[in-house]
Amino acid sequence: MGNQNKFFRGIRLTIARLFNLHLEKANEADVVQSIKKGVEFRGPNLWTLIFAIFIASIGLNVNSTAVIIGAMLISPLMGPIMGIGLGIAVIDIDLVKKGSRNLLTATLISIATSALYFWITPLHDAQSELLARTTPSIWDVFIAFFGGLAGIVASTRKEKSNVIPGVAIATALMPPLCTAGFGLASGNFYYFLGAIYLYFINSVFICLSTYLIVRFLNFRKVQFENQTYGKKVSRYILLIVTAAVIPSIYLAYKIVDKSIFESNAQAFVNNQFRFKNTQVVNKTFRYRSDSSEIDLLLIGQTLPQLTIDTISQKLNQYRLNDAKLVVRQGLDAKQQIDFSQIKASILEDVFKEDSARNSSLQETAAASRELPDLRAELKALYPGLMYYTGSRSIIYRTDTLATDTITLFVANFSKAPTRDDRLKMQQWLKERLQTDSVRLIVQ
């Protein structure tokens, strides 16, 4: 029993050493000073932010992922957010105020700069990179939280690494602000609200992760000479944290709920709408807290209403109890279908099939080239052989489109060879021609 306790104690100590965040921790005062310095938004920091916003806006405008990543690398937006998290953790109301003020300033300047760019640019289409920043998902919450953890851990080390630039890319604070600017410039407030929503979620969870690591590392809290004032500061910070965290938790819950709904709806459509002569050409999942909707557009043979009602009854099996199934087909579908797009899609599939078939035939034809000159070898092995002919031929099957090849070899002897001689000759031809299929015809 004693040996067993020593064994488990040794494992615990090993794990504790491996995951000890206090190892190589920088001086606490240096860490606090460094984070406070990053909170400032004036002079070079402000100009760097403006230039980064222009670069990110151009990247979103031309749909260039590389340009967007470059903009995120030079963005100084992480500073105020980590400053707020540090201020909350050490009960420094002045740092919280300063960080909040600078973050608000940076946010407004970023949106204004982006809106200006999208107002003057001749390219006004919303590209995929931009649209991706209008609807937050649960993965954005996870990325912001774990990215923030990585960022504050790196900031508390003696030797700085390349983690901070990676965190700036992963947490993606710049693109949502640029998307918000696009929404303002184009008058699309859905894009604006969705992007601000994503930016808020990212900021709150980066701040939360900073708070958790600072408290875990036991940074000293700010001491107040007046205890009454200190308690008042603590209450203010608690109110600020509550005002920020409760909405973000609610929003994160709604994001999770939406992600689950969309996943279940996708599984429902994939499993239940498998028909030989009917196809789903478009599906839209509309999430609402009270009544979500699955909107499907079908082409092909019209499904009877009884079939649709039967499928609808299976929504509960996919935890879609409150969802409504809307199926458009027949005349309703014709008004919604882009037939030119479907025609192009069908032609593309036909072209791919023809290309694959032609490629197969070309490979088979190449395999049917003439055989090498075997006269000298065959004369030495079979003196009675008068003449021969041979070729690799294609076998076409009537029950399938598949083809095969066979080597046909016709030999004429002055004297008919024995059965053993025929077998030996056929085996020799297989090895010499490196083929598995030889048909020997002796005359």
Side-chain angles (χ1 to χ4, degrees), residues 290-402:
D290 52 348
S291 59
S292 299
E293 188 175 277
I294 301 173
D295 191 334
L296 303 179
L297 188 64
L298 309 182
I299 61 170
Q301 184 176 336
T302 303
L303 299 179
Q305 187 60 42
L306 180 61
T307 302
I308 296 174
D309 293 340
T310 303
I311 293 174
S312 297
Q313 293 173 3
K314 297 180 180 179
L315 286 168
N316 294 343
Q317 299 177 14
Y318 295 85
R319 292 181 292 175
L320 299 167
N321 307 47
D322 299 327
K324 178 184 177 183
L325 178 63
V326 177
V327 177
R328 288 176 290 162
Q329 55 181 343
L331 293 176
D332 292 337
K334 288 181 180 179
Q335 299 174 1
Q336 304 291 332
I337 295 174
D338 184 352
F339 284 101
S340 61
Q341 183 178 0
I342 293 175
K343 182 178 178 182
S345 176
I346 293 173
L347 289 174
E348 183 179 359
D349 291 341
V350 171
F351 176 76
K352 286 180 179 177
E353 283 187 18
D354 287 345
S355 297
R357 190 178 303 165
N358 291 337
S359 176
S360 175
L361 289 175
Q362 288 173 3
E363 290 176 1
T364 306
S368 65
R369 61 187 183 274
E370 294 183 358
L371 300 181
D373 189 350
L374 304 174
R375 283 178 292 183
E377 298 170 69
L378 289 172
K379 185 65 177 176
L381 292 171
Y382 303 98
L385 180 64
M386 302 294 295
Y387 60 84
Y388 72 90
T389 182
S391 66
R392 293 189 177 97
S393 302
I394 304 174
I395 298 177
Y396 296 96
R397 302 181 183 275
T398 58
D399 57 343
T400 178
L401 293 177

Side-chain angles (χ1 to χ4, degrees), residues 4 57 145-146 177 189 267 272 294 307 317 357 367 408 433:
Q4 188 176 8
S57 298
F145 181 68
F146 291 113
L177 289 177
F189 289 98
Q272 298 301 324
I294 301 173
T307 302
Q317 299 177 14
R357 190 178 303 165
L408 295 176
L433 301 176

Side-chain angles (χ1 to χ4, degrees), residues 246-259:
I246 289 181
S248 66
I249 291 175
Y250 173 75
L251 294 174
Y253 166 76
K254 299 303 290 183
I255 291 174
V256 172
D257 207 30
K258 179 183 177 183
S259 298

